[in-house]
Amino acid sequence: MMHKVSIKPQWTISDAEGQDLPVKVLELLRQVHDHGSLSGACKASGASYRHAWNLIRQGEQQIDAPLLKMERGKGSTLTPLGEKFVWAGHRITARLTPILETLASELEIEIGRVLAAGTETIRVHASHGFAIEKLLASLQKDNVSVERKYVSSQEAAASLHQGNCDLAGFHLPIGDLEARAYHHYTRWLNVRHSRIIHITTRRQGLMVAPGNPLKIYDVADLIRKDVRFVNRQNGSGTRFLLECLLSKEGIDSKRIAGFEQGEFTHAAVAAYVASGMADVGFGLETPARRFKLDFFPICSERYFLLCNDAFLAQPQLQAVLKILNDPEYKKAVNQLPGYDASRCGQIDTIPKAFPSYAAHKNF
């Protein structure tokens, strides 16, 4: 039986005397934001209104600034400072969760080696995404020993090539950018022995504030002087995709304010925009919808697992394929905004997955 290690990000703020603001106050502010008012937060959580107000007053006294404001007809809502506290929590969670999950996985494996010597472990190095996140959670639920590590698409493909993992998760655009992106990865692919396992197609595009106040509709708008952009980190597949889009349009990335500001996950980009720290980000539709942002699709891409043909017969991979071909898993992925799992679980050779490029001279 697998033992699960869980590491959760948590933050607080201290006053001049070094006293931490209670975590319960920050959690209550998040609930007010989610439910629109203090009364809505109390109703959802089952807490008494009086107790909630006492917590808020305690926090306000400690911070020496208001966290809630009363408005006729609206009840109690967050002040700008209260909003900042909420978005600080969102950004911390979005940025750190994949890193902490990777660390937790390493600890699980170390502990598991002591408790259950000889247990076979499947090593998955993958670009972070919501479908792969669900797959790894399902494997753990089925007591499959998984060493998961969230890395960039480039790092994942290189890791498999070097023998440091069993499955590499990465993504390539569909359409006229596919050739350039595909050739970017050819150094880590083997036309005879590499196998592609399809998981999903998904939409990438621009995340902007609700109502799109700055009228940002395509990548050409990113160079405007009034637009602040937040990017993904160097080496990520999404950043590479954006660079391809900019090159296609003849746009110099140096003209984009914030292009070098990189976040580690799509959710972190969405949180950055939703908090008002940037006007636009480029990433997946799912986090944009979760943070109530407007989303303008630019292109679609396929997310794969890459493995070597010799690994196909291994029982660990059969456990992966069982989940990928499970109708419930496909249903869960299809419910993610912008995702389509219709080819989920299908295994292809390199020539079959990319017939237009199979005869490339690099092979």
Side-chain angles (χ1 to χ4, degrees):
M1 179 179 178
M2 284 290 296
H3 292 75
K4 180 175 173 57
V5 173
S6 186
I7 310 173
K8 303 295 184 183
Q10 181 176 301
W11 81 285
T12 188
I13 185 170
S14 303
D15 58 24
E17 284 72 40
Q19 187 71 28
D20 289 345
L21 186 70
V23 174
K24 289 183 178 180
V25 174
L26 296 172
E27 175 61 22
L28 181 57
L29 293 176
R30 185 191 65 78
Q31 291 175 347
V32 171
H33 179 270
D34 290 347
H35 299 287
S37 67
L38 183 61
S39 60
C42 292
K43 184 176 180 180
S45 65
S48 74
Y49 193 80
R50 181 177 180 180
H51 175 67
W53 259 119
N54 286 338
L55 271 177
I56 294 296
R57 293 307 182 209
Q58 176 188 346
E60 291 178 332
Q61 183 177 8
Q62 193 170 337
I63 296 297
D64 194 25
L67 297 172
L68 285 185
K69 58 184 177 182
M70 297 294 296
E71 294 182 86
R72 182 173 295 178
K74 294 185 178 180
S76 50
T77 56
L78 296 175
T79 64
L81 180 61
E83 289 277 358
K84 284 295 182 186
F85 282 177
V86 170
W87 285 111
H90 283 315
R91 289 185 59 221
I92 289 167
T93 298
R95 181 181 289 183
L96 295 182
T97 293
I99 299 171
L100 296 179
E101 286 181 356
T102 295
L103 176 58
S105 176
E106 292 172 357
L107 295 175
E108 284 172 8
I109 297 304
E110 291 177 16
I111 294 169
R113 284 174 180 152
V114 176
L115 295 176
T119 300
E120 293 292 337
T121 297
I122 184 170
R123 301 169 298 166
V124 182
H125 294 186
S127 171
H128 186 265
F130 300 92
I132 192 71
E133 193 176 70
K134 287 182 179 295
L135 172 62
L136 295 176
S138 297
L139 286 169
Q140 194 161 48
K141 186 178 179 181
D142 290 347
N143 291 319
V144 177
S145 179
V146 182
E147 178 187 329
R148 62 191 185 278
K149 187 174 183 179
Y150 288 123
V151 296
S152 69
S153 288
Q154 181 173 306
E155 289 175 293
S159 183
L160 180 70
H161 181 72
Q162 295 162 4
N164 295 327
C165 70
D166 304 306
L167 289 173
F170 70 105
H171 48 98
L172 292 177
I174 298 170
D176 56 2
L177 292 177
E178 184 179 74
R180 178 174 175 177
Y182 169 78
H183 293 316
H184 179 70
Y185 290 99
T186 53
R187 75 191 80 173
W188 300 298
L189 302 177
N190 184 302
V191 71
R192 288 183 291 275
H193 299 296
S194 294
R195 295 295 181 268
I196 294 291
I197 305 173
H198 298 268
I199 296 184
T200 185
T201 60
R202 57 188 197 177
R203 286 197 290 262
Q204 295 250 35
L206 299 177
M207 311 174 186
V208 299
N212 195 13
L214 294 183
K215 308 303 178 187
I216 302 168
Y217 296 106
D218 55 47
V219 294
D221 291 320
L222 300 182
I223 63 175
R224 283 169 29 195
K225 299 296 185 182
D226 61 334
V227 171
R228 299 167 301 158
F229 179 69
V230 59
N231 207 351
R232 287 291 305 282
Q233 83 277 19
N234 269 317
S236 71
T238 295
R239 183 164 177 149
F240 175 74
L241 172 58
L242 176 60
E243 289 169 348
C244 291
L245 289 167
L246 294 173
S247 176
K248 178 184 174 184
E249 298 296 326
I251 298 172
D252 185 354
S253 62
K254 294 178 181 177
R255 300 177 62 190
I256 301 174
F259 189 84
E260 297 307 322
Q261 171 66 46
E263 291 289 336
F264 192 69
T265 67
H266 295 277
V269 169
Y272 205 93
V273 175
S275 67
M277 297 182 68
D279 302 305
V280 57
F282 183 75
L284 293 174
E285 183 172 355
T286 294
R289 301 304 184 194
R290 288 183 179 178
F291 283 104
K292 298 180 173 58
L293 299 172
D294 282 2
F295 179 81
F296 295 92
I298 300 294
C299 61
S300 293
E301 62 183 11
R302 293 184 288 177
Y303 191 104
F304 308 96
L305 286 174
L306 180 69
C307 72
N308 296 318
D309 57 351
F311 191 64
L312 292 176
Q314 297 299 314
Q316 304 99 296
L317 184 63
Q318 296 308 307
V320 171
L321 294 176
K322 179 182 177 183
I323 293 170
L324 293 180
N325 287 287
D326 186 340
E328 288 302 312
Y329 174 79
K330 294 182 180 181
K331 180 180 178 181
V333 172
N334 283 328
Q335 288 174 343
L336 295 168
Y339 278 68
D340 179 0
S342 57
R343 297 180 68 190
C344 186
Q346 179 179 321
I347 303 174
D348 284 336
T349 61
I350 294 294
K352 188 175 181 182
F354 308 104
S356 300
Y357 318 119
H360 190 262
K361 62 182 180 181
N362 284 349
F363 291 142

